[in-house]
């Protein structure tokens, strides 16, 4: 568990946690419309994986993607502004929670279609390496995604063409309400191993362990070893989505949730810091998020006349709807 | 003047663009040996990094192309059969097409999807005979359907240079067309072409049926003066070009080898009648609603729009008013 500063890891985990809690407050107050998929409980994975990446490496996230975007280095204020649909947001208010992207820090975007990121990041890494760059990529995905055919097709392409992509499966036990035991035949790592992809399993609640395992995988990948797969075992502390409380889904027992919550990545990462360091990070994160929320809420909404701006990169303009 | 076949025109466009821009690369099934003939000779000239055979995994290689394009490459994906577009509709529509807007302009996705042999290839039956261009026009993906060798060359070149995703449907019914093309050149997307001037009726014809429309117009020459308008690009559509034609003829027939409901023919008629007072109700000649092409040749032909129906429609709009 060497090679990464525990303060840095704790800061990222704490930042994501508090960002999510702030975002949930903004959902409740109506400032974030449409809700979010909270990443709470899974922060150790994004923090550990992204700490092992270089700035030029690229990542593709999921519908539960805030943690990936923040951990890769996006500005929390612009991220929050995006969730609030403001023109200062990462995507100028055109993407929202499930599409947040920041190409400047290598985030190709959260993606709302389960299993979609794997092939996209494989193509992006392949194209840039063809140009002589030596970057690698990470595709985050859920346990639900390992049953999507396209993801398995992407494994095949990445393995055949030796594209250095780390597929990180965040196994939080559920796809919405569907338990892994009822949805995955065989084992998750075996999915990748069937394509000749080396697979590892790690405790996703421990960001230092995630970092160490990722760093080893990336070193092999950078040395020409082709794609790898990492199953990070974790638990989603909250609902699948912030709308869930309105429908009262019954799929996890209170005891199970309690047990899951007892292994909290924030506490685990924090336990490796002195109380003073922890307090400093906490205060710093709070200040960053206070500013982020204030900036986001103060930012203007986009001009309705620009609703279809950026639809076409070629500059084509769309006909209006008439009337 | 040198004769150029439609198929060779596509091949030459790919070769010229591969030679012009290092970022252009091809991927698809059996393209190294050029199963469709469209990629013939390209592997030898450009090597396996630029001409890549893919495993049978359409969804992944389509999204692979999306990722590569977001990273600055210009992939051209060849699809062996038009029905494969149904498999990858999600990847094109929900990803490639949407990313520029959803990212607030942080990326472009310049992928070209090439479908040589779209529509009915006689005897290929239900699952190989669709012509799904209207679907792409509906969602706003740039959609081109060249009818002639010069346009096949010019529109494919422009598609590859376009910063947006573009689907190029090369109709099976046009692949064997040959023409004198002395100097193939890019053809701008979104600009139609009047193949034949006329005063009485504007016939809009899409893809290979342009040749049917021209033949019918010749036959009727003594009787009705038919103008044949080929939009070439279905999305964006050259409304100005078409409206200029219909504003003179005041009569409109559309012939389109795709299904009737929600097809491009309906859109063309709707747009024209919103803006031009016609002398007679417009007509469209299409496949039937929800058509699936039956196998037997006589049945296959019965479902596709034919010259007889086109003649009938032209007479119908000419009589009225
Ligand atoms: C292809 C696809 N199918 C279904 C959905 C609806 N959906 C959104 S999230 C989700 C569950 C995904 O589960 P998992 O991959 O395990 O990720 P998690 O939500 O647990 O992070 C589903 C079914 C979708 N967005 N995309």
């Amino acid at each position: 568990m060497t090679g990464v500063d525990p303060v840095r890891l704790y800061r990222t985990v704490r930042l994501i946690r508090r960002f999510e809690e702030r975002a949930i407050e903004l959902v409740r107050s109506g400032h974030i419309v449409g809700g979010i998929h909270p990443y709470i409980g899974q922060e150790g994975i994004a923090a550990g994986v992204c700490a092992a990446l270089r700035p030029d490496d690229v990542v593709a996230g999921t519908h539960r993607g805030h943690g990936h975007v923040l951990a890769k280095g996006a500005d929390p204020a612009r991220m929050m502004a995006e969730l609030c649909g403001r023109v200062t947001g990462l995507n100028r208010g055109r993407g929202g929670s499930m599409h947040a992207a920041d190409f400047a820090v290598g985030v190709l975007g959260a993606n709302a279609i389960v299993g979609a990121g794997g092939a996209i990041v494989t193509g992006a890494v392949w194209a840039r390496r063809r140009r002589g760059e030596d970057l690698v990529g990470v595709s985050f995905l859920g346990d639900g995604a390992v049953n999507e055919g396209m993801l398995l097709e992407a494994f095949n392409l990445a393995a055949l063409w030796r594209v250095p992509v780390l597929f990180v499966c965040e196994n939080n036990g559920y796809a919405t309400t569907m338990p892994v035991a009822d949805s995955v035949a065989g084992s998750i790592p075996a999915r990748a191993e069937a394509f000749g992809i080396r697979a590892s399993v790690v405790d996703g609640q421990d960001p230092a362990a995630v970092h160490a395992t990722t760093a080893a995988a990336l070193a092999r990948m950078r040395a020409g070893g082709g794609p790898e797969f990492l199953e990070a075992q974790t638990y989603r502390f909250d609902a699948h989505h912030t709308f869930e409380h309105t429908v009262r889904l019954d799929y996890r027992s209170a005891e199970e949730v309690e047990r899951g919550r007892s292994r909290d990545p924030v506490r685990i990462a924090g336990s490796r810091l002195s109380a003073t360091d922890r307090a400093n990070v906490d205060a710093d994160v709070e200040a960053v998020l206070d500013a982020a929320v204030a900036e986001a809420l103060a930012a203007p909404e986009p001009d309705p006349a620009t609703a279809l701006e950026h639809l076409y990169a070629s500059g084509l303009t769309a006909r209006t709807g008439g009337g | 003047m040198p004769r150029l076949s439609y198929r060779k025109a596509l091949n030459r466009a790919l070769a010229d663009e591969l030679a012009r821009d290092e970022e252009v690369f091809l991927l698809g099934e059996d393209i190294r040996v050029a199963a469709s003939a469209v990629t013939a000779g390209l592997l030898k000239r450009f090597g396996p990094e630029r001409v890549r055979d893919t495993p049978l995994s359409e969804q992944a290689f389509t999204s692979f192309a999306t990722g590569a394009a977001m990273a600055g490459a210009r992939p051209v994906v060849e699809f062996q059969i038009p029905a494969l577009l149904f498999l990858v509709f999600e990847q094109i529509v929900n990803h490639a097409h949407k990313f520029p807007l959803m990212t607030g302009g942080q990326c472009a996705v310049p992928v070209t999807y090439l479908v040589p042999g779209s529509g009915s290839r006689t005897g290929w039956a239900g699952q190989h005979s669709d012509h799904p261009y209207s679907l792409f026009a509906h969602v706003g993906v740039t959609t081109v359907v060249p009818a002639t060798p010069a346009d096949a060359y010019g529109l494919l070149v422009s598609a590859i240079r376009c910063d947006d995703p573009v689907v190029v449907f090369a109709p099976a019914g046009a692949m064997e067309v040959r023409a004198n093309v002395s100097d193939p050149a890019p053809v701008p997307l979104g600009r139609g072409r009047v193949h034949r001037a006329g005063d009485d009726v504007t016939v809009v014809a899409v893809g290979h049926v342009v040749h049917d429309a021209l033949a019918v117009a010749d036959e009727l020459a003594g009787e009705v003066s038919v103008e044949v308008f080929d939009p070439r690009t279905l999305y964006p559509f050259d409304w100005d070009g078409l409206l200029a034609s219909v504003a003179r003829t005041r009569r409109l027939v559309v012939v389109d080898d795709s299904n009737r409901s929600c097809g491009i023919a309906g859109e063309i008629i709707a747009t024209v009648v919103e803006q031009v007072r016609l002398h007679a109700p417009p007509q469209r000649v299409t496949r039937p609603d929800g058509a699936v092409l039956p196998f037997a040749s006589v049945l296959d032909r019965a479902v596709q729009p034919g010259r007889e129906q086109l003649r009938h429609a032209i007479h119908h709009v000419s009589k009225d008013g």
Side-chain angles (χ1 to χ4, degrees), chain A residues 90-92 94-95 101-103 111 113 116 119-120 123-124 126 130-131 150 153 157 160-161 310 312-314 319, chain B residues 22-23 25 52 55 57 59-60 64 67-68 71-72 90-91 94-95 100-102 104 106 140 164 235 239 267 271:
Chain A
L90 290 174
N91 306 33
R92 302 185 167 90
R94 270 74 174 175
D102 189 352
F103 280 59
N111 197 311
I113 300 302
I120 291 171
W126 179 86
R130 190 165 73 86
R131 234 180 270 142
M150 188 178 62
E153 292 182 11
L157 292 187
L160 272 179
W161 297 344
H310 313 296
Y312 295 103
S314 63
R319 280 198 291 171
Chain B
E22 272 288 315
E23 290 297 348
F25 74 99
R52 298 186 71 75
S57 43
Q59 299 185 340
F64 178 94
E90 199 274 329
Q91 284 71 30
N94 217 13
H95 302 261
L101 183 139
M102 293 196 306
Q106 292 182 68
D164 292 319
Y235 190 91
W239 297 119
E267 179 58 37
T271 299

Side-chain angles (χ1 to χ4, degrees), chain B residues 12-84:
Chain B
R12 190 178 300 177
L14 294 176
D16 287 356
E17 290 307 291
L18 283 162
R20 190 187 59 81
D21 182 352
E22 272 288 315
E23 290 297 348
V24 174
F25 74 99
L26 313 183
L27 69 166
E29 293 161 13
D30 307 299
I31 65 172
R32 291 188 299 207
V33 299
S36 72
V38 164
T39 53
L42 299 179
L43 172 71
K44 203 160 154 212
R45 191 165 156 204
F46 298 100
E49 281 287 287
R50 313 278 308 278
V51 182
R52 298 186 71 75
D53 264 8
T54 55
L56 307 189
S57 43
E58 293 78 16
Q59 299 185 340
F61 69 64
T62 301
S63 277
F64 178 94
T66 302
M70 284 161 64
R74 291 190 173 269
V76 180
V77 187
E78 191 202 83
F79 291 95
Q80 281 186 337
I81 48 177
L84 299 183

Side-chain angles (χ1 to χ4, degrees), chain A residues 151-235:
Chain A
L151 184 74
L152 305 183
E153 292 182 11
F155 289 174
N156 191 50
L157 292 187
L160 272 179
W161 297 344
R162 298 189 73 73
V163 186
V165 172
L166 178 65
F167 297 94
V168 178
C169 176
E170 306 187 306
N171 180 358
N172 62 13
Y174 294 89
T176 313
T177 67
M178 169 60 91
V180 169
D182 292 348
S183 65
V184 178
S187 87
I188 288 177
R191 293 275 204 281
E193 284 163 349
F195 296 91
I197 295 174
R198 179 178 177 138
S200 321
V201 180
V202 71
D203 173 10
Q205 302 314 91
D206 181 346
V210 173
H211 173 265
T213 310
T214 303
L218 296 184
R220 289 188 295 267
M221 283 164 49
R222 290 193 202 281
E228 297 219 9
F229 183 92
L230 178 63
E231 178 189 344
Q233 295 174 336
T234 185
Y235 196 76

Side-chain angles (χ1 to χ4, degrees), chain B residues 28-31 35-36 56 58 61-62 77-88 92 113-121 124-132 136 167-170 172:
Chain B
E29 293 161 13
D30 307 299
I31 65 172
S36 72
L56 307 189
E58 293 78 16
F61 69 64
T62 301
V77 187
E78 191 202 83
F79 291 95
Q80 281 186 337
I81 48 177
L84 299 183
L85 291 181
F86 298 141
L87 258 88
V88 300
I92 297 175
Y113 312 95
L114 176 61
V115 192
S118 185
S120 168
R121 291 182 273 180
W124 287 65
Q127 292 180 332
H128 283 64
S129 301
D130 295 294
H131 217 163
F136 290 91
V167 191
V168 179
F169 289 93

Side-chain angles (χ1 to χ4, degrees), chain A residues 63-64 112-114 142-145 148 172 174-176 240:
Chain A
H63 58 285
R64 198 176 304 290
I113 300 302
V114 171
D143 48 271
E148 290 285 351
N172 62 13
Y174 294 89
T176 313
H240 170 69

